[in-house]
Amino acid sequence: MEENKKLTPVQTIEAEIGKIDDKSNRIYFFVLDSKGSPNGYLSYIYETAFQLKEMGYNVHMLHQEDEFVGVASWLGDKYAEIPHHNIAKEEMNVSPADVLFIPEFYSNVMLQTKKMPCKRVAIMQNFEYATQVIPVGATWANFGIKDCIATTDSLANRVKEVFPYVNTRVVAPVVPSYFCEPTEPKKLVVNIVAKEQTDINMIVKPFYWKYPMYKWVAFRDLRNVTKTEYAKALKEAAFTIWVDTKTEFGYTAVEAMRCRSILIAKVPEHEPEWMLSTNDKGEVEYSKNAVYFFNMEDVHSLIAGGIEAFITDKISEDSLSEMKKMDYLYTEEEFQKNIIKIYVDDIFAKHRAELVLALDAFKKE
Amino acid sequence: MENITIIIPVAEYNDERFANALKSIPSDVKNIFAVGNEVKHSDDKRVKIINSNGATDFATLINLALKECKTEYFGILDSSDAFTNIWFKNLGEYINAKPDFSAFLPLILNKKYDTKEIAGMGNEIAWASAFCEDLGVINNEALKNYPNFYINGGVFKTEDVINLGCLKPSFGIVSPYEFLLRLTYNGKKVVVIPKIGCEHYFGFETKTDEEITPEHMDWLIKTAQQEMFYKEDRNIEYSPKAE
């Protein structure tokens, strides 16, 4: 990337403040290529980018892939149509008014962009990703990262614990409104959402061995389907089994509950907030919105029990009413409000204020 | 449920089993036809007794009742069986969601009459992933590979069944299979609702059970697949080959 040609400092800064005011400054989001495979991690970044674009901001997506497949096939054209740039091949003009959002995984990009004049903000969706590429002993301070947006309070706390100098805010993910209660009766199908084929094998094969009376029950693997096919599958199926121990948020789980697909979930290493509730005694316990398990050996009896309850109409009303509470969490309206509150009124406003301070300092000179 | 008539074919009357069957029909079903040779008077005012004049076979009994059926849908409940208490609620949801469907079959729970021990299920194969293109919806091609669907407990669109010629008595025990083949061949949609809707009891002595050889059964099944193109019962007879 090339830096802007310098005018006088006062002129430069005034021009930059002008860009912020008329939204002609660039808002960059660094992304990896999904290669056509849907994932919640990327959809969060694209949803954020799209919301800002809809608000009139000059949004651009940056990547380093020669053959960038993009998100059109699974997320939709409106996201794919946000301008994309391969920074390995294109020269980008970055100015102080610009803002660059870098996913936590890309510590190399944090380092490469350290001397850029723009504001840089880390996006933290998965703490483990932040540990993967960063060299041992390096911190975000080394990369000049002072601001972060996390997707959950738990993640934000963990960032503050290790990088206390980073100003961390929370913008919770959004679950689109097309994940909703179906109008048709449920089909007796069991969806499986798991990243590894080994997990799928561990669920399906032993289930048929242990419960041969249910050998007719169909399982459906939801990897590599478009977002709309995925939503349709969740709406149709009576059950969704979810295995993702590394997740911080759990998109599938929330989406399944919104679609009233009874969730049978392996508890991840870091329990998402929606998974927990406080009982009458003030104790934190697992919510009744799903059936939770810790050990893969236990899932089969839960599936069998669920099937029996389904075909005899004995699914708990308590579970169904807890699932309905998901309809009011992570909504599009809430997401838009948070985008305005955190991105516009906080990050962008403070960025402008920093430039105004710099302008005042130069004027005094 | 005023648009449904439940037909109870009574091949062999038994007080206790008949009462059990009647009791399983919810009160908002207003029309019940009990059709058979020896059906006794019932205190249940919804019941109309239709005399079968000696006929005891399933197909004939159903057809006799259909001549008097005025409701949009009719259901079949063998006099030894019982609906479950969840069936009609789920049936209603499916009829509302799929008004273009002609037949709604339940999952069947087979139980020994004396011990009520569960001995297996029926109709569940419609939900197996490789059975049909559309899970739960039976099509003609799939039926050719699997003749063992129960229509007992099922609910059907009266007009569609009558227009297609009702059941064929000459097929005896296989008449339900031929009937489903004919329905699906003519583009009528049949779904198995994935809920246990009917309990089928067995294990009691009867006078009317057909004894049928495997060869005869094979012949009936193959003949059903040929006769499904015809609305009328062509009374084709089985002739075992001479030894």
Side-chain angles (χ1 to χ4, degrees), chain B residues 17-234:
Chain B
R17 294 197 292 266
F18 185 71
N20 196 40
L22 267 188
K23 195 175 152 193
S24 74
I25 303 172
S27 57
D28 58 350
V29 172
K30 303 295 184 194
N31 304 290
I32 301 173
F33 292 169
V35 53
N37 202 28
E38 353 170 286
V39 184
K40 290 185 187 168
H41 167 76
S42 170
D43 289 335
D44 191 327
K45 289 179 183 167
R46 302 173 293 169
V47 178
K48 176 177 181 176
I49 296 172
I50 299 172
N51 194 321
S52 68
N53 295 319
T56 57
D57 68 286
F58 182 80
T60 301
L61 297 181
I62 299 295
N63 291 349
L64 279 172
L66 279 174
K67 285 181 182 173
E68 308 207 24
C69 183
K70 303 281 184 262
T71 51
E72 186 182 1
Y73 292 91
F74 74 92
I76 299 173
L77 181 69
D78 191 276
S79 61
S80 303
D81 295 346
F83 288 121
T84 63
N85 60 7
I86 65 166
W87 173 235
F88 285 90
K89 170 186 160 276
N90 285 286
L91 174 69
E93 286 174 12
Y94 261 79
I95 288 178
N96 285 338
K98 298 180 186 302
D100 55 325
F101 274 58
S102 298
F104 303 85
L105 306 182
L107 292 179
I108 306 277
L109 206 58
N110 295 318
K111 285 183 164 180
K112 286 186 183 172
Y113 185 71
D114 49 355
T115 60
K116 304 294 183 278
E117 183 190 331
I118 294 170
M121 287 181 72
N123 294 348
E124 80 283 7
I125 191 77
W127 286 93
S129 59
F131 185 76
C132 280
E133 195 180 325
D134 191 359
L135 279 176
V137 178
I138 302 171
N139 65 26
N140 193 260
E141 277 310 303
L143 271 174
K144 285 177 187 169
N145 294 321
Y146 188 84
N148 296 333
F149 279 97
Y150 294 72
I151 63 171
N152 188 33
V155 168
F156 307 86
K157 245 188 206 163
T158 308
E159 187 181 358
D160 288 347
V161 172
I162 291 174
N163 287 346
L164 286 174
C166 303
L167 274 71
K168 292 181 182 173
S170 66
F171 278 90
I173 199 172
V174 174
S175 63
Y177 175 57
E178 190 281 334
F179 167 66
L180 285 176
L181 280 171
R182 193 160 17 102
L183 262 188
T184 51
Y185 172 72
N186 283 281
K188 301 303 176 189
K189 296 180 186 175
V190 180
V191 66
V192 173
I193 297 175
K195 302 284 182 178
I196 294 182
C198 181
E199 292 180 343
H200 169 65
Y201 294 100
F202 67 95
F204 42 82
E205 281 189 29
T206 70
K207 291 180 280 189
T208 55
D209 276 349
E210 288 179 56
E211 283 194 21
I212 191 163
T213 63
E215 293 77 19
H216 190 181
M217 180 64 89
D218 279 346
W219 178 87
L220 279 170
I221 290 169
K222 282 179 187 154
T223 307
Q225 293 170 4
Q226 291 159 2
E227 290 295 305
M228 70 178 178
F229 305 107
Y230 304 96
K231 287 184 188 176
E232 65 277 11
D233 189 346
R234 301 203 301 164

Side-chain angles (χ1 to χ4, degrees), chain A residues 154 247-248 267-273 275-276 286 294:
Chain A
S154 162
T247 190
E248 301 277 354
V267 177
E269 285 176 18
H270 296 281
E271 292 118 341
E273 290 144 1
M275 198 177 268
L276 304 169
Y286 288 106
F294 295 88

Side-chain angles (χ1 to χ4, degrees), chain A residues 206-216 300-305:
Chain A
F207 174 78
Y208 287 140
W209 298 335
K210 291 179 184 178
Y211 299 97
M213 69 285 254
Y214 290 136
K215 62 182 183 291
W216 49 274
H300 313 107
S301 61
L302 296 175
I303 299 169

